[in-house]
Amino acid sequence: MIDVMLASGDLIKLNQETHPGCYLHRSDPDDVARVEHVTFICTTERDDAGPNNNWMAPDEAKSRMHELYEGCMKGRTLYVIPYCMGPIDSPLSRCGVEITDSPYVVANMRMMTRMGSAALARIERDGGFVRGLHSVGELDPKRRFIMHFPADRLIQSFGSGYGGNALLGKKCHALRIASTQARSEGWLAEHMLIVGIENPQGEIHYIAAAFPSACGKTNLAMLIPPSEYEGWKIWTVGDDICWMQPGDDGRLWAINPEAGFFGVAPGTGESTNPNALAMLNQDAIFTNVAVTADNQPWWEGKDEEVPVTDWRGNSYTSGAGSAAHPNSRFTVPIRQCPSYSEQAEAPRGVPISAIVFGGRRERLVPLVMESKSWQHGVLLGASMASETTAAATGQVGVVRRDPMAMKPFCGYNFADYWSHWLSFADRVSNLPPIFHVNWFRKDRAGNFIWPGFGDNMRVLEWMINRCSGQVQARETAIGSVPHISDININGLDAGISELEALLEVDTAAWSEEIEQIREYLQQYGDRLPERLLQELNKVTAQLARVA
Ligand code: GTP
Ligand code: SPV
Ligand code: MN
């Protein structure tokens, strides 16, 4: 496939001395991110898709797609990709087949999924699979649709060759279709990383964390702890998607359905994410990054070297905007990550000690808080909001509601999804605590207050100490926050006063926020679970009491 693409110009060889087996793909300049406005959930009843999704009637969607697909493979090679999401022998895994006319999709799916004969054999055992039909068409943004038919376990995608629009195993299957399957079968398909944190005693706690696109999942999944954390180790199980199921022991067990990373390049540097840099020195595909004079891949935040060619292939002079596209990405097998965990292949998955939600919020939202119960944790997830990023087309930096980081990915009505989440409290005996984090608070000058990246370890440690009951917390109306003395600040490049600011809960501002959350939730009308409203009312009452 690489040879096919080198011959067609779809791939360009990068410097094979510094980066053996690495290639660059330049996408069409109008095809650089997910396209949420033309992504649809096609259910017979509009309400089953919910206010969180674009909806189209299945018959109408199929006839539109049929028209677009007409003759699209003429003169092209049609590839059939049998793939398995999750370890081949895991009962939690699910299979699919993608048909595509894009060699780039084939090469990426090979790294992102378990594809090929093992997957085909499993499909024969399972007797069923998710069907995905994809064509790049003419890459015309006006003739582009990503359609999902949950009842048929069918995906139809046309007009884009990019990431989540085209690698159908990823967001289309493993989140949108899988979330509907998970609901009916009693499990969860989530936009979460999975990371193991090993303490000096050799105990490993696995944490699953949901942050919206380009809000830090890949980075947290492979962080390197500060030097003060001698004897601690980080194990990467997954960086984007997590499927979780209750085990016999009443805990939640999780697998990463993917086999590779399709990660954000900008911001990946020696000081921020050295593990990612180390895995990108060989056998990786780069999409829409810039190039140096000696043909090495480059992006903003990669400390060394200077770019001479931008992501479009034009010559670049410094100061002329970004050289790499803000949503430029790398594709690489997960096994190349220095912190790769063999547990990523464990058929039963890993037991989850804590669930974390988080968003990108300049103001208001504290560095970390803990929910008071599962029910309150579900409210924390449902109340999430985050500044938009370049991972999807549209305006960047505007705060939008993004419950559980699933706004673009939940294949059904959010009200029913929250009911599903709440139902776990009725039938799972040993649920993990739920936390909420925000690495992205800014000061008046517009700088991040919290150093983030490796230093996020300090927050993870507090969570683990909470899980094992080793530290107390300060109760506030919106959740429990750490006592400053319980956060390890040895060697931290921020002081007590910064930490106080990061953990402050502004009652007046939160009262306003809660009203906005209430307004948002009210859109879901009668379908909104009563228990979520009760929880919201509790928070409102507590805020009024302390005001
Ligand atoms: P998707 O692949 O789109 O789902 O994104 P993701 O959630 O995996 O985000 P990723 O880890 O790739 O980070 C996105 C951007 O946020 C990168 O530019 C990172 O450098 C930056 N980032 C990640 N973690 C932190 C952090 O702790 N603090 C700050 N300030 N930036 C961060
Ligand atoms: C995201 O946007 O959340 C991604 C990249 O992880 S994509 O594969 O395009 O969905
Ligand atoms: Mn993602």
Side-chain angles (χ1 to χ4, degrees), residues 191 211-219 239-240 262 264 266-267 329 360 391 439-440 448 452-453 456:
H191 190 204
F211 310 151
S213 303
C215 290
K217 290 183 299 302
T218 303
N219 279 267
D239 84 322
D240 199 49
F262 182 64
V264 176
R329 299 245 168 190
R360 188 182 278 270
W439 314 138
F440 298 97
F448 291 116
F453 302 102
N456 293 334

Side-chain angles (χ1 to χ4, degrees), residues 3 17 26 83 101 106 114 151 176-177 183 211 295 358 407 478 542:
D3 286 344
E17 265 157 45
R26 292 196 181 111
Y83 63 88
D101 54 7
V106 180
R114 283 100 171 155
R176 298 195 192 96
I177 298 289
R183 181 194 177 199
F211 310 151
N295 209 22
K407 163 74 188 72
I478 56 165
Q542 276 165 22

Side-chain angles (χ1 to χ4, degrees), residues 28-323:
D28 186 283
D30 286 325
D31 185 31
V32 294
R34 284 183 296 100
V35 280
E36 296 178 4
H37 61 292
V38 288
T39 298
F40 286 79
I41 300 297
C42 308
T43 47
T44 315
E45 299 298 325
R46 185 182 201 128
D47 270 356
D48 290 340
N52 45 305
N53 279 304
N54 299 315
W55 173 84
M56 201 182 287
D59 289 347
E60 188 194 340
K62 281 178 189 166
S63 79
R64 278 212 203 186
M65 295 306 280
H66 194 85
E67 244 167 70
L68 292 172
Y69 284 129
E70 189 75 52
C72 70
M73 302 272 177
K74 202 178 235 173
R76 295 182 181 171
T77 304
L78 182 151
Y79 301 96
V80 181
I81 312 169
Y83 63 88
C84 179
M85 300 309 291
I88 288 280
D89 293 321
S90 171
L92 280 76
S93 299
R94 295 288 185 279
C95 292
V97 177
E98 175 168 359
I99 289 177
T100 180
D101 54 7
S102 162
Y104 171 81
V105 166
V106 180
N108 277 272
M109 285 288 282
R110 179 160 186 269
M111 291 199 265
M112 297 303 296
T113 71
R114 283 100 171 155
M115 72 124 87
S117 47
L120 195 55
R122 167 139 187 173
I123 288 171
E124 280 166 2
R125 286 203 302 279
D126 285 356
F129 56 92
V130 171
R131 290 175 296 158
L133 178 54
H134 170 251
S135 171
V136 294
E138 312 87 46
L139 293 176
D140 177 356
K142 292 195 283 300
R143 285 163 53 82
R144 182 173 291 164
F145 283 107
I146 324 294
M147 301 286 195
H148 303 76
F149 306 89
D152 301 329
R153 309 253 147 104
L154 171 68
I155 303 153
Q156 295 190 338
S157 165
F158 188 86
S160 167
Y162 196 88
N165 304 329
L167 312 176
L168 301 187
K170 196 171 176 59
K171 297 308 189 348
C172 300
H173 177 167
L175 289 178
R176 298 195 192 96
I177 298 289
S179 62
T180 68
Q181 233 170 330
R183 181 194 177 199
S184 57
E185 296 171 4
W187 47 284
L188 291 166
E190 299 299 324
H191 190 204
M192 291 178 174
L193 68 96
I194 308 167
V195 64
I197 301 140
E198 182 176 340
N199 66 18
Q201 293 76 51
E203 298 154 352
I204 306 183
H205 281 93
Y206 292 94
I207 289 182
F211 310 151
S213 303
C215 290
K217 290 183 299 302
T218 303
N219 279 267
L220 194 69
M222 57 189 74
L223 73 80
I224 294 186
S227 55
E228 290 73 24
Y229 282 79
E230 211 181 308
W232 292 74
K233 281 198 201 103
I234 291 290
W235 297 104
T236 307
V237 179
D239 84 322
D240 199 49
I241 301 179
C242 163
W243 287 356
M244 277 185 284
Q245 198 163 67
D248 297 339
D249 59 357
R251 291 192 288 177
L252 291 179
W253 289 75
I255 62 162
N256 170 16
E258 301 190 283
F261 305 119
F262 182 64
V264 176
T268 308
E270 200 49 65
S271 59
T272 56
N273 193 350
N275 272 337
L277 267 198
M279 70 186 177
L280 297 176
N281 287 328
Q282 76 285 322
D283 302 316
I285 293 178
F286 295 88
T287 301
N288 293 339
V289 300
V291 190
T292 63
D294 65 346
N295 209 22
Q296 295 190 51
W298 192 92
W299 48 81
E300 279 65 26
K302 192 170 186 246
D303 317 307
E304 311 140 57
E305 311 277 339
V306 255
V308 296
T309 309
D310 73 9
W311 64 277
R312 287 186 170 90
N314 298 327
S315 75
Y316 178 81
T317 35
S318 65
S322 309

